[in-house]
């Protein structure tokens, strides 16, 4: 397993109290595999990625383990951590404009990190980044290298950010809502690009999104988060066709579709709950049409039922849970 997260719990200080943001997350990604982590805002997915890079806010309390290639990230020395972040992980963010220096040309942005540790001459590194820009679909890499960020569209800038993430040849790509800030057409192009790069380079990818359709298009497997926990994990193909958890089913049913006609689009009642406000028992119980007395008492843990891993007391009795 390249990335192995075991029973991760993250709490953040707010005033004098500690608020639980991630309640219990366990997942693994093998070399060359892609996993989508899907959840609404506040479900804990971004804090899970920060735990992977050990970039949680000051004062965060963490328990559980994050292992990369068998090595405990929490036990890495400062130097090991720098090498791990720089060479093993490529990060792609939601809004590239917030992460690319607006007053420097694209060439300087792409070279500045590489020049710190890559001893090859600048001209050679320039060829490397020019080839990378071509690989991510920039039609005129030389012109792009001479441009400032404000001269590029959002889609082109996200391609530049993807090139930057790939420039150190990482083994794991962490993509945090990389298409959310883009228009629908560009979103589809960038999603397709990520899928192609993952297959061509044999990359492991953790794709963070709130969009189940996008997750199914891009990733081999999908994990659904609710209130700081993974409630369902399946191959994307089967999750999409036969979701097992009532929350996943609700999410899929409440998407508009061009193939169906509605009197009224189905919705999930209530609103999402952060982990620190979750009730006793199953955190989804107040919104669940299938809840049973046991649901208000015992937290359901992720257990395997055929191809699906499911945190629900319905277990194998859930649709798609066999
Ligand atoms: Fe619904 Fe109970 Fe399953 Fe929670 S454990 S999702 S309340 S059926």
């Amino acid at each position: 397993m390249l990335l192995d997260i075991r029973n991760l719990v993250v709490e953040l200080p707010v005033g004098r109290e500690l608020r639980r943001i991630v309640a219990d997350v366990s997942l693994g990604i093998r070399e060359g595999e892609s996993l989508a982590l899907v959840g609404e805002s506040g479900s804990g997915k971004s804090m899970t990625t920060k735990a992977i890079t050990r970039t949680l806010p000051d004062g965060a309390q963490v328990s559980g383990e994050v292992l990369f290639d068998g090595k405990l990230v929490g036990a890495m020395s400062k130097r090991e951590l720098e090498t791990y972040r720089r060479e093993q992980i490529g990060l792609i963010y939601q809004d590239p404009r917030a992460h690319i220096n607006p007053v420097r040309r694209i060439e300087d942005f792409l070279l500045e990190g590489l020049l710190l540790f890559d001893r090859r001459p600048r001209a050679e590194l320039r060829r490397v980044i020019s080839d990378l820009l071509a690989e991510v679909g920039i039609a005129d890499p030389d012109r792009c290298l001479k441009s400032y960020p404000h001269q590029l569209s959002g889609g082109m800038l996200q391609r530049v950010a993807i090139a930057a993430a790939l420039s150190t040849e990482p083994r794991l790509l962490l993509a945090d809502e990389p298409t959310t800030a883009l228009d629908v057409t560009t979103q589809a192009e960038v999603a397709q690009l990520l899928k192609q790069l993952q297959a061509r380079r044999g990359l492991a990818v953790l794709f963070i999104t709130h969009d189940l359709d996008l997750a199914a298009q891009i990733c081999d497997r999908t994990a659904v988060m609710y209130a700081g926990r993974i409630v369902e994990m399946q191959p994307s193909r089967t999750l999409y066709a036969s979701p097992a958890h009532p929350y996943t089913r609700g999410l899929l049913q409440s998407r508009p579709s061009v193939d169906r006609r509605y009197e009224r689009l189905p919705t999930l009642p209530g609103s999402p709950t952060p982990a620190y406000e979750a009730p006793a028992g199953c955190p989804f119980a107040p919104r669940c049409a299938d809840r049973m007395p046991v649901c208000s008492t015992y937290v359901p843990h992720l257990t395997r039922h055929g191809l699906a891993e499911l945190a629900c007391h319905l277990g194998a009795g859930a649709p798609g849970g066999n």
Side-chain angles (χ1 to χ4, degrees):
M1 201 61 79
L2 184 66
L3 177 71
D4 193 2
I5 302 179
R6 299 177 187 166
N7 305 113
L8 179 72
V9 177
V10 177
E11 294 175 314
L12 298 182
V14 177
R16 299 178 121 198
E17 62 172 309
L18 273 178
R19 284 194 176 168
R20 187 160 287 198
I21 309 295
V22 177
D24 185 7
V25 166
S26 296
L27 60 85
I29 305 180
R30 286 183 287 276
E31 204 104 41
E33 186 192 29
S34 55
L35 174 76
L37 195 55
V38 181
E40 294 167 279
S41 295
S43 59
K45 51 194 194 309
S46 288
M47 284 301 149
T48 302
T49 59
K50 284 183 188 297
I52 296 168
T53 50
R54 227 175 102 183
T55 49
L56 285 163
D58 287 346
Q61 304 284 311
V62 183
S63 66
E65 293 178 336
V66 177
L67 294 123
F68 187 86
D69 208 7
K71 203 159 175 65
L72 208 52
V73 174
M76 286 179 182
S77 66
K78 196 170 170 225
R79 177 175 284 197
E80 285 172 327
L81 194 59
E82 277 172 14
T83 310
Y84 161 69
R85 287 179 185 151
R86 188 177 61 222
E87 296 177 12
Q88 307 283 0
I89 293 187
L91 285 165
I92 306 171
Y93 300 97
Q94 180 174 342
D95 181 5
R97 286 196 198 281
H99 295 275
I100 296 179
N101 189 333
V103 297
R104 304 196 67 197
R105 292 179 198 273
I106 297 301
E107 176 173 341
D108 297 321
F109 163 70
L110 287 172
L111 280 179
E112 68 187 349
L114 278 182
L115 284 166
L116 286 176
F117 68 96
D118 196 319
R119 299 278 168 229
R120 285 178 287 178
R122 185 179 173 110
E124 194 177 332
L125 290 178
R126 193 183 188 281
R127 268 197 301 280
V128 170
I129 57 171
S130 174
D131 289 349
L132 262 177
L133 288 179
E135 187 180 352
V136 299
I138 302 269
D140 187 346
D142 276 335
R143 187 166 165 201
C144 177
L145 286 172
K146 290 179 194 137
S147 306
Y148 286 96
H150 73 269
Q151 295 172 306
L152 304 182
S153 67
M156 276 181 86
L157 217 50
Q158 193 56 296
R159 287 173 194 267
V160 168
I162 293 170
L166 295 175
S167 64
T168 58
E169 313 234 330
R171 293 162 78 190
L172 172 68
L173 211 53
L174 286 184
D176 193 352
E177 303 263 12
T179 60
T180 305
L182 306 173
D183 64 74
V184 177
T185 311
T186 316
Q187 204 175 67
E189 289 170 4
V190 170
Q192 199 52 34
L193 171 66
L194 283 171
K195 191 170 174 162
Q196 288 165 356
L197 289 169
Q198 189 252 333
R200 193 184 307 144
R201 289 174 163 253
L203 280 166
V205 174
L206 180 60
F207 185 79
I208 313 293
T209 181
H210 61 272
D211 187 334
L212 264 172
D213 293 277
L214 206 56
Q217 276 172 39
I218 295 183
C219 293
D220 304 323
R221 283 187 302 140
T222 296
V224 179
M225 277 191 85
Y226 188 82
R229 295 173 184 275
I230 290 178
V231 294
E232 178 165 13
M233 186 151 48
Q234 288 208 49
S236 300
R237 182 176 37 86
T238 54
L239 179 126
Y240 206 73
S242 52
H245 195 280
Y247 176 56
T248 320
R249 275 189 273 135
L251 285 180
L252 284 169
Q253 280 162 6
S254 57
R255 292 150 38 255
S257 162
V258 288
D259 304 322
R260 286 180 283 169
R261 292 186 71 83
Y262 307 93
E263 284 291 314
R264 190 187 162 101
L265 194 64
T267 52
L268 277 166
S271 50
T273 313
Y276 57 86
E277 284 179 358
C282 172
F284 188 62
R287 305 174 72 190
C288 182
D290 298 314
R291 68 179 170 271
M292 305 167 281
V294 66
C295 304
S296 308
T297 313
Y298 297 105
V299 177
H301 294 288
L302 207 59
T303 47
R304 182 167 283 284
H305 305 274
L307 287 174
E309 286 176 72
L310 187 62
C312 174
H313 293 305
L314 288 170
N322 293 308

